[in-house]
Amino acid sequence: MYNDPTANSTQLVRYHLHLSPTLEEAQLIAARTLLTEQGFVVDQLTSDEAVVASAQGADPDWGPVREGFRQFGGTIAHINTAE
């Protein structure tokens, strides 16, 4: 059986988001809602970081996520892929 590596380029990728300033409980609820609405699976969410997963063939569009965080008083200081 031959597996064509180009047949399905979708893979699960985990991202580590560093949040600033630390988020309060209401902001954490809003963050979880925002991230799931943008198609992410939330693995971990604390007051200063989030680990999310995405099953996409390309890098996610972080613009709407950053804007959503800004609207409820938080920011994403840094995003990197999680190992």
Side-chain angles (χ1 to χ4, degrees):
M1 181 171 158
Y2 174 73
N3 286 332
D4 182 356
T6 63
N8 184 358
S9 63
T10 302
Q11 62 181 348
L12 183 66
V13 180
R14 294 177 69 219
Y15 297 94
H16 187 204
L17 288 65
H18 302 271
L19 310 176
S20 178
T22 57
L23 302 180
E24 301 294 326
E25 184 175 350
Q27 294 169 308
L28 289 172
I29 293 168
R32 180 177 295 278
T33 301
L34 171 68
L35 290 165
T36 56
E37 286 175 350
Q38 293 296 318
F40 293 98
V41 175
V42 179
D43 185 19
Q44 298 175 22
L45 182 60
T46 65
S47 61
D48 61 351
E49 67 181 358
V51 178
V52 300
S54 173
Q56 298 181 8
D59 286 338
D61 180 7
W62 293 108
V65 176
R66 288 183 184 275
E67 177 58 25
F69 270 81
R70 189 191 65 74
Q71 287 179 4
F72 59 75
T75 60
I76 300 173
H78 184 68
I79 301 170
N80 60 320
T81 55
E83 296 295 326

